[in-house]
Amino acid sequence: MSTETHVFPRVRRGGVLLGSTLATILSVGGAQAAGEPPDPVFDKTSYGDMNFPEEFPDGTSISITQWSHFVPRYDEWFENYAEAWGEANNVDVTVNFINIAEVPSTLSASISAGEGATLFEMNAPPTSFIEGLKPLEDVNKAAQAEFGERSGTCERSSYLPSQDIWYGFCHGWVPDPGDYRRSLWKDAGYPEGPESYDDLLKGGKKIFEKTGTPVALGMSPEIDSEFYARALIWSFGGSIQDEEGNVTFDSPEVLEAVKYQKKLFDNAMTPEVFAWNAASNNQTFIAGQASYIQNSISFYRSAQEDSPEVAADTGFRPGLKGPRGDKKMPAHVWFIHTMPEYVTDEDKIAAAKKFMLDLENNYASASYYSKFYNFPAFSSQVPQLFGDDSWLDDDPWGAEPPDKLKLLQTAEDWTAWLGYPGYANPAISEVYQTNLVSSMMADVARGVKEPEEAVEDTAEEIRAIFEKWRKRGYVGDG
């Protein structure tokens, strides 16, 4: 297990951010371009109906377990931010960074043991752990009262209608665009890259036949493969469930998407995708060995440093249109704070809740130092990302051209979530965690099953999962 723990003991200074710590936050990684975020604010004592002390009692501590960010600069910033927050609020703060794949099992083990971190930052809706989590209705209501409208993908990934419970506080999310090699697609007759899945098939085949460079979309039991499979199904008009939590997987639209994936694999892909992990498509693209992938911009930030010629040749698409014009991509990950039931100390609980709300209040910094990987749950908190003359119009992190990432301003228009078009729920989470959809795609692509058989078998497995959770009252619209 890859872990890294940082303990930041508080230094009492009357609730005021220390000048030296503030300087550290703002200088992390060196000098920044003009238009950097405002200084963090830690002395706010009320959000909506929630009130907090100017300082917490001596001995107050919180611990946070979260995944190591895909943009390393963010973790550097967060370490300094957590230290400064602890100093300002008289709280000992411990941050434990772990591999993203280990977060669910770490939360599960902590709940079973009845001890562990105060807060866990999950990367997907933690609905399967809902019975071991504290409701966070007060935090979510306070945030909405303070910050206004919330992103739909964040609401539907932290609220469960059937139980009327906010099981987490989602402070941010990550757009998941399509990513293509501009030179390859221009030579194939698509100067702006593929706009539809039909383009992806025709252009991807042409590129593959001419250059041997494949379309690189995973079909293995890992996060990116699952997200691609869902993007394809949604854009073809299919879904796993409807808005009321009824299974809709065995539909003509899902079958059409599965048949398309078989054709795409046969004409423009290679078998490596059956054994990929979550980093494989990034690495393949940065190595110049892929014409198209579906991924967040973390790979691009890496390419800027490690493979600048590939970064310069990278273009982005806001998802691809299906045969009837539908265009939906998943959020790549979510940042969802959860608090296990075993946390019972009232000062610890209050401090953790203030930490969550303060982070959202300072989200311009979180977004900036993640190099715009993190998008806010509440767009009001990072107005610099939107509108004219935004950070995305003139990327301070060196994109060429400077507005290369501007399409992300519209990301919420084409972004869905794991339960789309309904809410995430424990059944949806189990389907996701067991990799049923990507495994089904692989079976068809390999010729192990015919598309009709694969869809029918997978739908049967999904129905059994849904029925199990429905009996327990965790599936439905409430």
Side-chain angles (χ1 to χ4, degrees), residues 381-392:
Q381 295 314 106
V382 195
Q384 301 94 328
L385 281 177
F386 308 100
D388 296 332
D389 300 320
S390 75
W391 281 333
L392 298 176

Side-chain angles (χ1 to χ4, degrees), residues 107-117 132 340-344:
L107 174 60
S108 179
S110 296
I111 291 174
S112 296
E115 61 181 7
E341 283 281 8
Y342 59 70
V343 182
T344 57

Side-chain angles (χ1 to χ4, degrees), residues 219 226 229 233 249 254 258 435-446 449 451 453-459:
M219 284 184 281
E226 285 293 312
I233 287 171
F249 195 77
V254 172
V258 174
N435 302 293
L436 291 182
V437 183
S438 58
S439 298
M440 175 199 68
M441 292 290 189
D443 284 345
V444 174
R446 285 169 161 160
K449 290 184 178 182
E453 178 190 9
V455 171
E456 182 178 347
D457 289 350
T458 304

Side-chain angles (χ1 to χ4, degrees), residues 118-195:
T118 314
L119 292 176
F120 284 83
E121 183 185 79
M122 309 303 291
N123 64 293
T127 49
S128 54
F129 304 106
I130 196 167
E131 292 173 334
L133 300 177
K134 281 187 177 299
L136 295 175
E137 181 178 8
D138 54 353
V139 175
N140 280 278
K141 285 189 173 181
Q144 185 167 341
E146 191 73 30
F147 306 132
E149 185 177 358
R150 187 192 321 254
S151 166
T153 191
C154 289
E155 177 190 354
R156 289 162 177 79
S157 301
S158 53
Y159 175 70
L160 188 63
S162 64
Q163 296 288 316
D164 188 24
I165 183 175
W166 290 93
Y167 51 86
F169 177 66
C170 186
H171 62 80
W173 61 285
V174 179
D176 201 35
D179 321 296
Y180 69 96
R181 287 288 299 277
R182 296 168 61 193
S183 59
L184 294 175
W185 284 90
K186 181 179 179 180
D187 289 346
Y190 301 85
E192 302 300 322
E195 295 186 10

Side-chain angles (χ1 to χ4, degrees), residues 52-290:
F52 300 98
E54 291 184 3
E55 283 190 354
F56 286 91
D58 287 349
T60 303
S61 66
I62 63 171
S63 57
I64 306 165
T65 293
Q66 63 189 54
W67 47 281
S68 297
H69 203 283
F70 295 143
V71 178
R73 186 180 291 262
Y74 177 85
D75 285 348
E76 297 174 20
W77 168 79
F78 191 85
E79 289 177 8
N80 290 305
Y81 176 89
E83 180 179 12
W85 186 92
E87 291 174 352
N89 288 277
N90 195 39
V91 177
D92 290 332
V93 182
T94 303
V95 181
N96 184 32
F97 296 95
I98 66 176
N99 186 285
I100 191 170
E102 297 167 348
V103 176
S105 61
T106 305
L107 174 60
S108 179
S110 296
I111 291 174
S112 296
E115 61 181 7
T118 314
L119 292 176
F120 284 83
E121 183 185 79
M122 309 303 291
N123 64 293
T127 49
S128 54
F129 304 106
I130 196 167
E131 292 173 334
L133 300 177
K134 281 187 177 299
L136 295 175
E137 181 178 8
D138 54 353
V139 175
N140 280 278
K141 285 189 173 181
Q144 185 167 341
E146 191 73 30
F147 306 132
E149 185 177 358
R150 187 192 321 254
S151 166
T153 191
C154 289
E155 177 190 354
R156 289 162 177 79
S157 301
S158 53
Y159 175 70
L160 188 63
S162 64
Q163 296 288 316
D164 188 24
I165 183 175
W166 290 93
Y167 51 86
F169 177 66
C170 186
H171 62 80
W173 61 285
V174 179
D176 201 35
D179 321 296
Y180 69 96
R181 287 288 299 277
R182 296 168 61 193
S183 59
L184 294 175
W185 284 90
K186 181 179 179 180
D187 289 346
Y190 301 85
E192 302 300 322
E195 295 186 10
S196 66
Y197 282 97
D198 187 54
D199 290 346
L200 183 66
L201 174 60
K202 292 176 180 177
K205 177 182 179 182
K206 190 174 181 179
I207 292 168
F208 187 55
E209 290 175 345
K210 182 178 180 180
T211 70
T213 306
V215 170
L217 296 163
M219 284 184 281
S220 65
E222 53 86 26
I223 179 175
D224 291 344
S225 297
E226 285 293 312
F227 285 155
Y228 165 65
R230 281 162 176 74
L232 177 64
I233 287 171
W234 291 330
S235 298
F236 270 67
S239 63
I240 292 174
Q241 66 170 8
D242 63 17
E243 293 182 74
E244 285 74 42
N246 301 303
V247 176
T248 56
F249 195 77
D250 46 349
S251 69
E253 292 80 8
V254 172
L255 179 60
E256 185 181 10
V258 174
K259 289 180 177 179
Y260 168 88
Q261 183 60 19
K262 168 65 172 171
K263 189 179 294 185
L264 182 66
F265 175 76
D266 288 344
N267 288 277
M269 298 179 67
T270 55
E272 287 83 0
V273 298
F274 297 126
W276 273 5
N277 60 38
S280 297
N281 59 356
N282 300 24
Q283 295 165 347
T284 299
F285 195 94
I286 292 173
Q289 298 173 359

